[in-house]
């Protein structure tokens, strides 16, 4: 199906990924896979959010490479640049421009409640960049500069999307306009929060992991995947018959959810197959499924990474479209604020 095929749009979606490290299974199952299934039902915009990435220092060469790699990962997973708008955040200055206005709308008290800032800043809050603190205001600008109505994300981004709603409502109220919609978070599937393979109480996340063995990367080979799954933490009991039987067994629950998401089943359906199995048998099956699903994506990512010009061409088309959509909305916002129109 091509991007020009007429379709009834259910609204506009915007979502993004920070190019701050390698794509991992959490990004794929929690976000990208859902985007692929939604991209033709909505006007869809997907973004490599490089302005967000630098809230924590990034090696410049790595940032450039990772930005292309995230684009390659999305395209290899089925995001079709002809059916949606795929682009890089820094190519569209309107994000940063609207973010400044939102810095003046959002209240410090709101930002102080953001759990991700607390987690990322950790004990050394004073040494964090000011960008990390106002990060959710930029995220609100990403969404609202296109008047996006739906934001498909993993569980960890819910609080930020709710803040975007608060910012939209306060802007509309302060300036007596009905400019911004209140965007809805869309959090769906059995893997909205993929956990570390080493510790089922910690989110799978590049920045929070001490060891690469805790994450499955989209660039991992079949051998890497097999080894990581083999070494994944489990408990001594066989797999239960029901989802209730997973209560308190965080690692088992995580692996069942991963298997469910990778094979398009519910956790209940997975347990019908694996109830009573030992983990060794379960892990072999999970490896088979993971390699079958991720292998072709990794191969396509590698092909695209060998031809960066193809990626860059797609991103240029996306940036041109995004700039054209953002410009009039930023103008409306500036007018609402009372900025003297530029001539
Ligand atoms: P980021 O780059 O941390 O993650 C990208 C997407 O992957 C999801 N995700 C996960 N889902 C399930 N389990 C996990 N372990 C896991 N780890 C990551 C995230 O929920 C996210 O959907 N602030 C955002 C990027 C952003 C954005 C936006 C998103 C910037 N502007 C506007 C939506 C709308 C972030 O850091 O995602």
């Amino acid at each position: 199906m091509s991007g020009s095929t007429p379709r009834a749009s259910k609204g506009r979606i915007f979502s993004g990924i920070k190019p701050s490290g390698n794509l991992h299974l959490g990004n794929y199952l929690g976000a990208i896979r859902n985007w692929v299934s939604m991209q033709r039902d909505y006007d869809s915009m997907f973004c490599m959010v490089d302005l967000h990435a630098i809230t924590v220092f990034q090696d410049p060469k790595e940032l450039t490479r990772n930005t292309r790699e995230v684009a390659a990962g999305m395209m290899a997973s089925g995001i079709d640049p002809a059916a949606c708008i795929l682009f890089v955040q820094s190519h569209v200055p309107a994000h940063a421009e609207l973010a400044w206005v939102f810095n003046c709308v959002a209240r410090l008290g709101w930002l102080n409640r953001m759990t991700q800032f607390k987690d990322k800043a950790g004990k050394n809050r004073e040494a964090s960049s000011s960008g990390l603190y106002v990060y959710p205001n930029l995220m609100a600008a990403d969404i609202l500069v296109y008047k996006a109505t739906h934001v498909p994300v993993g569980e960890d981004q819910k609080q930020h999307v709710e803040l975007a709603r608060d910012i939209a409502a306060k802007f509309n109220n302060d300036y007596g306009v009905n400019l911004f919609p209140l965007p809805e978070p869309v959090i769906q599937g059995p893997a909205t929060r993929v956990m570390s393979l080493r510790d089922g109480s910690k989110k799978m996340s590049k920045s929070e992991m001490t060891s690469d063995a805790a994450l499955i990367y989209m660039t991992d080979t079949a051998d890497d995947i097999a080894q990581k799954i083999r070494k994944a933490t489990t408990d001594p009991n066989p797999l239960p018959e029901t989802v209730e039987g997973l209560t308190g067994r965080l690692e088992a629950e995580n692996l069942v959810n991963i298997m469910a998401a990778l094979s398009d089943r519910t956790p209940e359906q997975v347990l019908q197959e694996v109830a009573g199995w030992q983990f060794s048998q379960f892990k072999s099956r999970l490896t088979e499924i993971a390699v079958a699903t991720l292998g072709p994506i990794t191969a396509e990512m590698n092909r695209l990474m060998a031809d960066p010009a193809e990626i860059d061409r797609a991103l240029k088309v996306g940036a041109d479209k995004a700039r054209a959509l953002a410009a009039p909305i930023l103008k409306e916002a500036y007018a609402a604020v009372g900025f003297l129109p530029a001539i």
Side-chain angles (χ1 to χ4, degrees):
M1 209 197 298
S2 95
S4 56
T5 310
R7 67 205 144 101
S9 173
K10 295 183 183 165
R12 175 171 289 159
I13 58 182
F14 180 96
S15 204
I17 297 196
K18 286 192 304 289
S20 51
N22 299 329
L23 280 179
H24 57 74
L25 193 63
N27 300 135
Y28 178 65
L29 295 179
I32 301 175
R33 249 172 57 107
N34 294 330
W35 304 350
V36 172
S37 68
M38 297 171 86
Q39 67 181 333
R40 290 188 172 84
D41 295 334
Y42 293 79
D43 292 326
S44 302
M45 313 195 60
F46 303 114
C47 189
M48 274 55 72
V49 288
D50 51 357
L51 301 179
H52 280 96
I54 63 161
T55 54
V56 174
F57 180 79
Q58 304 293 317
D59 175 83
K61 284 202 178 69
E62 288 283 305
L63 179 62
T64 310
R65 192 186 178 284
N66 285 336
T67 303
R68 285 205 185 93
E69 190 173 280
V70 171
M74 290 198 209
M75 289 160 72
S77 303
I79 295 290
D80 176 359
C84 63
I85 300 180
L86 179 68
F87 70 106
V88 177
Q89 188 183 30
S90 63
H91 294 177
V92 186
H95 291 237
E97 292 171 297
L98 186 61
W100 178 259
V101 175
F102 288 170
N103 284 343
C104 304
V105 172
R107 306 290 91 184
L108 289 185
W110 299 0
L111 295 176
N112 286 338
R113 285 197 288 275
M114 294 296 110
T115 54
Q116 196 156 81
F117 175 75
K118 290 182 201 159
D119 292 348
K120 289 209 166 168
K123 293 200 185 76
N124 208 358
R125 203 182 144 101
E126 298 288 306
S128 300
S129 74
S130 34
L132 188 66
Y133 187 67
V134 293
Y135 177 119
N137 298 341
L138 176 59
M139 187 162 154
D142 298 339
I143 299 165
L144 296 171
V145 82
Y146 303 106
K147 297 189 181 177
T149 51
H150 295 81
V151 186
V153 282
E155 184 75 45
D156 61 336
Q157 295 300 318
K158 186 164 180 233
Q159 194 185 34
H160 289 159
V161 182
E162 283 165 356
L163 188 86
R165 291 171 65 87
D166 291 343
I167 290 175
K170 183 161 165 53
F171 182 99
N172 288 345
N173 188 53
D174 286 356
Y175 293 107
V177 290
N178 193 12
L179 180 57
F180 294 118
L182 305 190
E184 296 275 349
V186 181
I187 298 170
Q188 60 189 19
T192 55
R193 191 169 171 81
V194 177
M195 308 309 278
S196 154
L197 296 182
R198 285 311 182 84
D199 177 348
S201 68
K202 293 211 171 78
K203 189 181 71 167
M204 183 179 284
S205 148
K206 178 81 174 101
S207 55
E208 283 154 44
M209 295 293 145
T210 43
S211 146
D212 274 352
L215 298 91
I216 293 179
Y217 293 111
M218 305 281 290
T219 45
D220 279 347
T221 62
D223 283 349
D224 295 333
I225 294 175
Q227 198 180 54
K228 288 178 181 183
I229 293 179
R230 198 162 49 241
K231 289 192 179 156
T233 308
T234 50
D235 57 49
N237 300 314
L239 273 304
E241 280 171 18
T242 60
V243 171
E244 293 70 53
L246 291 169
T247 309
R249 300 176 65 186
L250 298 181
E251 284 82 13
E253 186 180 19
N254 186 39
L255 294 178
V256 167
N257 287 344
I258 290 175
M259 187 187 273
L262 282 172
S263 55
D264 266 324
R265 287 181 290 176
T266 61
E268 288 80 2
Q269 287 166 332
V270 165
L271 289 176
Q272 277 169 18
E273 180 191 351
V274 305
W277 289 13
Q278 296 298 328
F279 273 104
S280 52
Q281 187 183 1
F282 175 86
K283 284 178 167 182
S284 308
R285 181 82 183 106
L286 180 58
T287 301
E288 245 170 58
I289 293 174
V291 169
T293 311
L294 300 178
I297 298 177
T298 310
E300 175 63 3
M301 265 177 93
N302 292 338
R303 187 194 69 77
L304 286 164
M305 284 303 280
D307 182 12
E310 182 180 341
I311 301 174
D312 293 0
R313 270 195 302 276
L315 296 178
K316 174 170 184 342
V317 172
D320 289 344
K321 289 184 190 161
R323 273 193 297 268
L325 286 175
I329 296 173
L330 181 69
K331 207 166 162 189
E332 275 184 274
Y334 275 15
V337 169
F339 289 156
L340 181 68
I343 44 166

